[in-house]
Amino acid sequence: MKTLLTGGAGYIGSHTAVAMLDAGHDVAVADNYYNSSPEAIRRVEEITGRKVSLYEADVADRSRMMEILRAEMPDCIIHFAGLKAVGESVAMPVEYYRNNIDTTLTLLECMKELGLTNIVFSSSATVYGEDNIPPFTENMPKGVCTNPYGWTKWMQEQILRDAWFAGAGSEKELSVVLLRYFNPVGAHESGLIGEDPQGIPNNLMPYISQVAVGRRDHLTVFGDDYDTPDGTCRRDYIHVMDLAEGHVRAAEYSLGNRGTEVFNLGTGNPYSVLDMVNAFGKACGHPVKYEIGPRRAGDVQDSWANADKAKEVLGWEAKRGIDEICRDAWKWQSGNPQGYGE
Ligand code: NAD
Ligand code: UD1
């Protein structure tokens, strides 16, 4: 299968490129390097011993995307490109709506013009909102999002579903696969690629990794007064290579099917903030220093997946646990203390 990964030089895209190439598929990448570096793709080629067709492109640029898609004519597009920082989206909502929605609309227009039918989309568990009770199942109603980033995912899901509906039953009916990620963490086991956040990390695992490697003094745990066994929030942390393999199965599934399908990509197992701090301490060989701070605005207490549908329909389930997550995150962080910047 020929795949085009928009945003493929980013964290999840680069790991998915490895999994796709390892599964014998061809990979092209279109990325504007807003939050990534072509070095990630060079390392994907080093890991797999295979070539990637790499295009520097803004996915919202229609004529550029027409040129790339015409050259590649992929069997499936996996749409990762987007802005993803929750706090930044509150400060820059217009940029978030513009970039995330425009890239999706542009792809749909190009697909229609070229007769391409298959798209897999990076959505998020954030669309379940604050009121659903975990474990989240795909048929729960979507919730109210707490920030513009979340709303862009919510809206992109709707746009893709509407685009499919318009052509349902026709020869050009789309195959839309919406993947709702839980908390992607960890790195490829080689330690050659991993998450490389710019500036101060917003997310837990990159923050813990940077404390462990000495780049930051301590982690602040956002609240220990939740109604959970140790008082800290619980999440469904999924190894990024499990997530990547989920994309391979989703893209393969899309080839034989038409319609819109939603899948949770999670493990189904919740872990608390302190569980992750302790597991990381074991992996890196010394305790990770932390202090308890106030709750973070917008945090939900609990979020985890019911992952049964992906297992039943895609034949996929997460295989790696938190010890592998921390081992691989540490290998990446300790081997590349400044990320790709070195
Ligand atoms: P990332 O920032 O590492 O990757 C996104 C990539 O898209 C980057 O390489 C960036 O340069 C590129 N990009 C952004 N706008 C672009 C544009 N207009 N044209 C071309 N390239 C563009 O983020 P990630 O963690 O790999 O996330 C990938 C996707 O998964 C995103 O859509 C994100 O919202 C979604 N997602 C991520 C998480 C997570 O925790 N990482 C969770 C749920 C969903
Ligand atoms: C956050 C986003 C979510 C997005 C996801 C991407 C919010 C409210 N939600 O999810 O929309 O899809 O990132 O990965 O921002 N924590 C600390 N200290 C820290 C950082 C985090 O205690 O320095 C805690 C948080 O309170 C949370 C857990 O660690 O309980 C995980 O946080 P994080 O990695 O930011 O992910 P989410 O909040 O689940």
Side-chain angles (χ1 to χ4, degrees), residues 7-11 13-15 17-18 29 31 33 35-47 52 54 192-194 196 332 340:
Y11 172 47
S14 56
H15 290 79
V18 169
V29 163
D31 202 303
Y33 309 127
N35 193 37
S36 57
S37 144
E39 173 63 13
I41 297 299
R42 198 199 59 71
R43 294 191 188 189
V44 166
E45 292 179 333
E46 184 182 335
I47 291 167
V52 172
L54 185 56
L192 284 174
I193 56 173
D196 183 19
W332 156 251
Y340 294 113

Side-chain angles (χ1 to χ4, degrees), residues 289-319:
K289 199 171 148 196
Y290 69 89
E291 287 174 5
I292 305 295
R295 290 183 177 197
R296 178 171 68 177
D299 270 345
V300 292
Q301 173 175 297
D302 285 322
S303 166
W304 68 90
N306 174 318
D308 292 349
K309 185 176 172 192
K311 187 173 178 187
E312 280 156 22
V313 180
L314 302 178
W316 169 90
E317 65 183 320
K319 298 192 209 88

Side-chain angles (χ1 to χ4, degrees), residues 84-87 123-127 146-147 149-150 153 181-185 195 201-208 218-223 226 232-237 271-273 276-277 291 294-301 303:
K84 64 158 186 177
V86 170
S123 189
S124 167
T126 197
V127 302
T146 53
N147 55 75
Y149 164 74
K153 292 293 166 197
Y181 309 159
F182 281 70
N183 287 60
V185 287
E195 189 169 9
N202 299 302
N203 297 116
L204 178 67
M205 290 304 284
Y207 207 106
I208 291 181
H218 68 276
L219 171 78
T220 301
V221 174
F222 296 143
Y226 287 95
T232 66
C233 293
R234 292 179 292 188
R235 296 288 183 271
D236 186 335
Y237 295 96
Y271 287 99
S272 74
V273 175
M276 299 311 287
V277 169
E291 287 174 5
R295 290 183 177 197
R296 178 171 68 177
D299 270 345
V300 292
Q301 173 175 297
S303 166

Side-chain angles (χ1 to χ4, degrees), residues 12-333:
I12 300 169
S14 56
H15 290 79
T16 300
V18 169
M20 279 289 175
L21 292 163
D22 282 350
H25 301 303
D26 294 330
V27 172
V29 163
D31 202 303
N32 65 359
Y33 309 127
Y34 176 84
N35 193 37
S36 57
S37 144
E39 173 63 13
I41 297 299
R42 198 199 59 71
R43 294 191 188 189
V44 166
E45 292 179 333
E46 184 182 335
I47 291 167
T48 60
R50 297 198 47 205
K51 288 296 288 176
V52 172
S53 308
L54 185 56
Y55 300 91
E56 183 166 358
D58 184 336
V59 179
D61 178 343
R62 194 166 184 278
S63 61
R64 178 73 173 131
M65 288 314 292
M66 281 298 289
E67 194 184 311
I68 294 168
L69 287 166
R70 238 192 221 108
E72 294 291 332
M73 290 302 279
D75 301 300
C76 185
I77 295 171
I78 308 186
H79 182 29
F80 297 103
L83 305 180
K84 64 158 186 177
V86 170
E88 190 180 68
S89 80
V90 176
M92 300 166 50
V94 177
E95 287 83 349
Y96 269 67
Y97 285 113
R98 169 69 76 191
N99 190 67
N100 291 3
I101 308 281
D102 254 12
T103 52
T104 304
L105 294 174
T106 301
L107 282 176
L108 285 168
E109 286 173 354
C110 295
M111 287 170 68
K112 189 171 182 185
E113 194 160 334
L114 295 171
L116 299 170
T117 50
N118 296 47
I119 183 161
V120 174
F121 174 64
S122 298
S123 189
S124 167
T126 197
V127 302
Y128 288 109
E130 294 184 297
D131 297 327
N132 284 307
I133 310 277
F136 299 136
T137 51
E138 291 85 347
N139 56 10
M140 283 176 167
K142 290 199 287 181
V144 171
C145 296
T146 53
N147 55 75
Y149 164 74
W151 283 118
T152 68
K153 292 293 166 197
W154 200 105
M155 290 176 192
Q156 287 173 96
E157 283 199 1
Q158 189 62 41
I159 290 167
L160 286 158
R161 188 183 287 279
D162 290 344
W164 156 72
F165 184 78
S170 76
E171 234 175 62
K172 286 294 163 204
E173 178 171 355
L174 297 181
S175 172
V176 172
V177 181
L178 306 174
L179 299 179
R180 293 182 181 158
Y181 309 159
F182 281 70
N183 287 60
V185 287
H188 187 262
E189 63 184 10
S190 64
L192 284 174
I193 56 173
E195 189 169 9
D196 183 19
Q198 311 298 305
I200 301 170
N202 299 302
N203 297 116
L204 178 67
M205 290 304 284
Y207 207 106
I208 291 181
S209 306
Q210 291 193 8
V211 172
V213 83
R215 261 175 86 177
R216 314 215 170 259
D217 179 63
H218 68 276
L219 171 78
T220 301
V221 174
F222 296 143
D224 69 347
D225 56 352
Y226 287 95
D227 185 16
T228 62
D230 66 17
T232 66
C233 293
R234 292 179 292 188
R235 296 288 183 271
D236 186 335
Y237 295 96
I238 176 168
H239 194 295
V240 66
M241 286 310 298
D242 279 326
L243 190 75
E245 288 159 13
H247 288 74
V248 176
R249 291 294 308 121
E252 290 169 351
Y253 166 86
S254 90
L255 286 197
N257 291 278
R258 295 279 170 262
T260 297
E261 282 296 338
V262 184
F263 296 101
N264 286 337
L265 293 185
T267 68
N269 302 314
Y271 287 99
S272 74
V273 175
L274 293 180
D275 289 335
M276 299 311 287
V277 169
N278 293 331
F280 207 97
K282 257 199 308 175
C284 73
H286 59 270
V288 175
K289 199 171 148 196
Y290 69 89
E291 287 174 5
I292 305 295
R295 290 183 177 197
R296 178 171 68 177
D299 270 345
V300 292
Q301 173 175 297
D302 285 322
S303 166
W304 68 90
N306 174 318
D308 292 349
K309 185 176 172 192
K311 187 173 178 187
E312 280 156 22
V313 180
L314 302 178
W316 169 90
E317 65 183 320
K319 298 192 209 88
R320 301 156 177 94
I322 60 169
D323 291 332
E324 285 98 337
I325 284 171
C326 294
R327 177 198 66 198
D328 297 339
W330 178 239
K331 188 159 187 191
W332 156 251
Q333 185 68 62

